[in-house]
Each structure stands twice: as C-alpha cells, then as structure tokens.
C-alpha cells in the first residue's frame, strides 16, 4: 500500500515552522503568563507587529516567548514604557513586512525560473522538499545580512542623530533639504500595463532612484509606487540627485518622466519618517513643477547660488495650497558641469 501524500496544509505548516525555527506550541495566554507581560499588552504588541488576533490558537513558539521576554526586560529597566514598546514593535513590523514580501516574491520567482519550485504543484512532495533544502541554505545567510545591514544603518542613524543634537539640541529636529520626485502620468500608464509589467516598472523606479540618491550623498526616506521622498544634509547633494534622477528618466523611454521639488529648512524626524513645513513645501513644489524639471524654494536657491555646477532661474510666483505664495526657482545643470 502506497504511502499517503501529506496534506497541503501540513506541508505549509512544516515550511512555516522551518522559517520560524521552532514549532508553534503555545497559546497567547500561555506566552503572556510565561513572559510576565499582561495578556492585553501581549496582544497589543502582536497587533503592532502587523498580525491579526489569533484567539486561542496554538500559534506561538519559544522564539516568540523569548522575544517578548527581551522586550519586557527593557520595560523593567525603564528604558521603554508600554507605549514605547508598542512603537518599537510597530516600526519593526512595518519595516520587516515589506522586506519579507520582497524576499518571498523575488526568491520565489528565481526558484521557479531555475526549476526548483514547480508552480503547477508547489506543495507537492518534490517541490516542497526542494524548497525546504533551499530554505536551509537561504535562511542563515539572509539572517546574517539583515543583522549586518541593520547595524550599519543604526550606526549611520546614530551619527546623524548626534550631529543634529549637537547643532540644535534636539535629536528629532534637524536642518535638511527635502526632495519629492513624482512620476508624471503614472496613473494612466498603470491602467495599460499588466500586473507583472507594473511591478517591474515600480521595482526599477525604486532601485534606480535609491542608487542615484544614495550615490549623490542623500538618503531615501520612503517610496510610494510613483513617488520617492529623500533628504540630504547638503542642498548641493539633493540638487545633484534631482538632476541625475531627471536625466536617468529622460534617457529611458520606458520610464515615465519625473518632476521634482526641493525645499530646505527645519525637519522633524520620527520613526524614520520626516515631517514639517519643509516637507510639505517640497511636496507642493513637485505638484506645480513641469515634467523633466526641478523646482527649488528660496532657501535652497540661496545656498546653491554660488555652486558652479548649477543654474538657477526664478519662475513666476505660485499660490501653493496650505502654504501661500511661494517664489520657486528652476534648477538646471550648468554647461560643461
């Protein structure tokens, strides 16, 4: 008598537990009791990570218990209060959720292209076994890379924060140039493209834009499909990134054209995002910019006035929603620069 094939749900459970590292053996109330965290707070942290309530399901591992104990130790030492713990957890959940989705999509596609994963029967014994072997190889490498890159990013954030604190006395406030880059006609284009074509377009926009911004001395804050928000401590770096972004999109006939707004001033940083009037002004300047152009505010233009690599040409004043009358300046590349 032939051995019965495993049920699809059992295959999924086995692969999920391989990723988790330990079996799911605990309920929410058990995790709360063993960690010393009140059940209502444990559930609040779980939701902050981005997961739905699981009720009385056996859904938690010894790893979940250990993580909750670690977080509780910070609360016990008064390094965090309960609300701070939720904010830390939410930030981790938001960041790692997008990373995990990208990794699952990318490696799933690559494994299918290489014949490792059979898309016609992904949960069949052969395909599931092959995926399990690949996970054994991938997981430790990806984990080490994640920790390494996080440490590098944390070190860079620490440097920026200390520099801001020295200059202003407040870690969360700094003086930056903020840039918004917006793809023109993206909505119309997205209606004509197949889903996979649209995904490739967005991925290419995000990756190219990030490379250019970072290579010019800026930092990407976030991407929103057809937009990218970035900052730079040096207005010249933001200007260089903007002109390179425009040139990159002009040279690629498959990419929508860009329009960009730059503004310089006080910026409030919180949970990796940026806020304030300067951010709003950059966004509004983008909305009134023409395709293939960069508009900057007066503060940015004043700093760039003596930079030989750029040209600056005032344009007629514009009434900007929520801000009032502004006098934008058109940024260009100086001949031969």
């Amino acid at each position: 008598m032939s051995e019965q094939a495993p049920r699809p749900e059992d295959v999924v459970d086995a692969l999920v537990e391989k990723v988790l590292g330990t079996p799911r053996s605990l309920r929410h109330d058990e995790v709360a009791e063993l960690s010393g965290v009140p059940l209502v707070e444990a559930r609040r942290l779980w939701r902050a990570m981005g997961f739905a309530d699981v009720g009385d399901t056996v859904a938690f591992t010894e790893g979940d218990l250990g993580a909750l104990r670690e977080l509780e130790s910070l609360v016990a030492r008064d390094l965090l209060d309960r609300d701070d713990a939720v904010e830390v957890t939410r930030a981790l959940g938001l960041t790692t959720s997008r990373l995990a989705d990208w990794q699952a999509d990318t490696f799933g596609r690559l494994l299918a292209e290489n014949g490792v994963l059979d898309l016609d029967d992904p949960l069949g014994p052969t395909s599931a076994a092959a995926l399990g072997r690949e996970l054994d190889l991938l997981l430790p490498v990806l984990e080490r890379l994640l920790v390494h890159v996080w440490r590098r990013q944390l070190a860079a954030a620490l440097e920026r924060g200390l520099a801001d604190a020295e200059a202003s006395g407040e870690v969360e406030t700094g003086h930056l140039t903020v840039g918004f880059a917006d793809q023109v006609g993206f909505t119309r284009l997205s209606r004509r493209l197949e889903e996979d074509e649209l995904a490739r377009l967005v991925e290419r926009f995000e990756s190219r834009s990030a490379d250019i911004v970072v290579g010019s001395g800026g930092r990407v804050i976030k991407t929103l499909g057809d937009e990218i928000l970035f900052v730079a401590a040096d207005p010249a770096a933001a200007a260089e990134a903007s002109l390179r972004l425009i040139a990159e999109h002009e040279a690629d006939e498959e990419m929508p054209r860009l329009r960009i707004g730059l503004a310089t001033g006080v910026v409030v940083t919180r949970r990796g995002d940026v806020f304030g009037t300067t951010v709003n002004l950059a966004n509004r300047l983008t909305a009134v910019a023409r395709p293939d152009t960069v508009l900057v505010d007066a503060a940015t233009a004043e700093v760039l006035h003596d930079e030989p690599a750029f040209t600056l040409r005032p344009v007629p004043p514009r009434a900007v929603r929520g801000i009032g009358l502004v006098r934008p300046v058109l940024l260009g590349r100086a001949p031969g620069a």
Side-chain angles (χ1 to χ4, degrees):
M1 185 174 180
S2 61
E3 184 177 347
Q4 186 176 4
R7 297 180 303 168
E9 54 266 35
D10 293 335
V11 175
V12 172
D13 284 343
L15 291 171
V16 166
E17 290 191 352
K18 180 183 287 289
V19 173
L20 292 175
T22 52
R24 290 174 286 193
S25 58
L26 299 168
R27 298 190 310 271
H28 223 153
D29 59 333
E30 293 173 325
V31 173
E33 182 180 357
L34 291 170
S35 65
V37 177
L39 180 58
V40 65
E41 291 297 332
R43 284 179 170 159
R44 189 179 172 208
L45 291 166
W46 180 249
R47 290 193 299 270
M49 276 196 293
F51 302 120
D53 286 329
V54 295
D56 294 329
T57 305
V58 177
F60 302 94
T61 71
E62 291 291 335
D64 293 314
L65 175 59
L68 199 55
R69 283 172 169 165
E70 294 280 9
L71 196 58
E72 181 66 9
S73 72
L74 298 180
V75 174
R77 294 169 58 192
D78 292 327
L79 292 174
L80 298 174
D81 61 23
R82 295 289 183 194
D83 290 337
D84 291 332
V86 169
E87 290 301 307
V88 168
T89 304
R90 180 174 289 112
L92 287 170
L94 289 171
T95 302
T96 54
S97 172
R98 186 179 182 194
L99 174 62
D101 284 343
W102 182 91
Q103 289 175 332
D105 290 343
T106 300
F107 286 108
R109 174 175 53 80
L110 292 173
L111 292 175
E113 290 175 356
N114 294 333
V116 175
L117 190 62
D118 181 2
L119 294 182
D120 293 328
D121 188 18
L123 297 179
T126 301
S127 189
L131 180 56
R133 290 192 294 271
E134 293 295 330
L135 285 173
D136 286 336
L137 295 173
L138 281 170
L139 286 174
V141 176
L142 292 178
E143 186 173 19
R144 289 193 297 269
L145 283 173
L146 175 62
V147 173
H148 174 74
V149 174
W150 166 72
R151 283 182 177 272
R152 296 294 306 188
Q153 291 287 4
L154 185 60
L158 179 63
E159 287 184 315
R160 290 192 298 268
L162 291 175
D164 288 344
E166 184 178 10
S168 66
E170 297 183 29
V171 171
E172 289 191 343
T173 303
H175 199 270
L176 298 171
T177 298
V178 179
F180 263 103
D182 175 52
Q183 290 185 321
V184 180
F186 178 84
T187 301
R188 291 193 304 273
L189 179 63
S190 65
R191 295 193 187 106
R192 295 191 285 106
L193 296 177
E194 298 292 337
E195 288 187 6
D196 58 340
E197 293 175 318
L198 181 61
R200 285 195 295 270
L201 177 67
V202 171
E203 168 64 22
R204 185 163 55 170
F205 169 63
E206 291 184 354
S207 60
R208 287 187 179 184
S209 298
D211 287 346
I212 289 172
V213 169
V214 174
S216 302
R219 176 166 55 96
V220 174
I221 297 298
K222 60 185 175 183
T223 56
L224 301 170
D226 61 336
E227 284 187 337
I228 182 169
L229 170 62
F230 61 94
V231 298
D234 180 8
E240 179 64 28
S242 298
L243 293 177
R244 288 181 60 193
L245 284 169
I246 293 290
E248 177 77 11
H249 283 70
E250 280 186 308
D252 190 338
E253 295 181 355
E254 295 183 2
M255 295 289 287
R257 312 302 271 274
L258 281 188
R259 54 184 181 176
I260 300 175
L262 293 180
T264 300
V266 174
V267 175
V268 176
T269 302
R270 181 167 174 78
R271 295 198 302 270
D273 208 343
V274 290
F275 306 90
T277 303
T278 303
V279 179
N280 295 335
L281 179 55
N283 191 12
R284 301 294 188 265
L285 287 172
T286 304
V288 300
R290 294 181 179 276
D292 304 327
T293 66
V294 181
L295 288 183
V296 307
D297 70 335
T300 306
E302 182 179 358
V303 178
L304 297 178
H305 183 268
D306 296 325
E307 292 283 347
F310 309 117
T311 62
L312 298 164
R313 180 167 63 85
V315 299
R318 306 285 182 90
V320 175
R321 177 171 56 88
I323 294 178
L325 192 68
V326 298
R327 291 175 168 77
V329 177
L330 182 67
L331 176 71
R333 176 80 69 189

